[in-house]
Amino acid sequence: MGNYDFLEPSSDNYKNFENLIAEINENRCCAFIGSGLSVDAYYPSWKKLILNLKKRAEDIIQEEVILPNDPDINKPDYYPEDIEILKAYLSEEDYWMIIFDIFGP
């Protein structure tokens, strides 16, 4: 076990953190982090994520997806429910394939 001084001391915290590290090392984990860090790491902003996921979903299902928030590259706001709406159009496998493709490695 490593030095985890930044964790609240508890055997469960240490065990959970070790499990998280193992999942990351096995490429079975995808972290969703705030755009303040992710955009600097060249991951898409929330807006670009929604637009990318929407286009990919449309390509898979071969129909246009209309979101109630009317995504547009020039629109400043995007809503968390957009992800859930898009996810409902896809199989679980297709959804995660797209997410890991966008955010991986």
Side-chain angles (χ1 to χ4, degrees), residues 41-55:
Y42 304 105
Y43 287 111
S45 65
W46 184 259
K47 181 187 299 189
K48 288 181 181 177
L49 171 63
I50 296 292
L51 292 171
N52 191 335
L53 185 59
K54 180 178 183 290
K55 181 182 181 333

Side-chain angles (χ1 to χ4, degrees), residues 60-79:
I60 289 171
I61 65 171
Q62 295 293 296
E63 66 180 76
E64 183 180 9
V65 174
I66 305 295
L67 296 172
N69 300 309
D70 189 26
D72 179 309
I73 195 67
N74 298 312
K75 186 177 177 186
D77 297 320
Y78 281 85
Y79 304 91

Side-chain angles (χ1 to χ4, degrees), residues 8-78:
E8 189 70 29
S10 126
S11 60
D12 284 343
N13 279 353
Y14 298 141
K15 181 179 137 205
N16 290 338
F17 193 72
E18 290 283 334
N19 288 339
L20 175 62
I21 291 170
E23 292 295 308
I24 291 168
N25 287 333
E26 294 294 322
N27 293 320
R28 294 187 306 238
C29 181
C30 179
F32 286 90
I33 52 180
S35 65
L37 178 61
S38 58
V39 170
D40 288 345
Y42 304 105
Y43 287 111
S45 65
W46 184 259
K47 181 187 299 189
K48 288 181 181 177
L49 171 63
I50 296 292
L51 292 171
N52 191 335
L53 185 59
K54 180 178 183 290
K55 181 182 181 333
R56 300 276 298 272
E58 290 172 339
D59 289 346
I60 289 171
I61 65 171
Q62 295 293 296
E63 66 180 76
E64 183 180 9
V65 174
I66 305 295
L67 296 172
N69 300 309
D70 189 26
D72 179 309
I73 195 67
N74 298 312
K75 186 177 177 186
D77 297 320
Y78 281 85

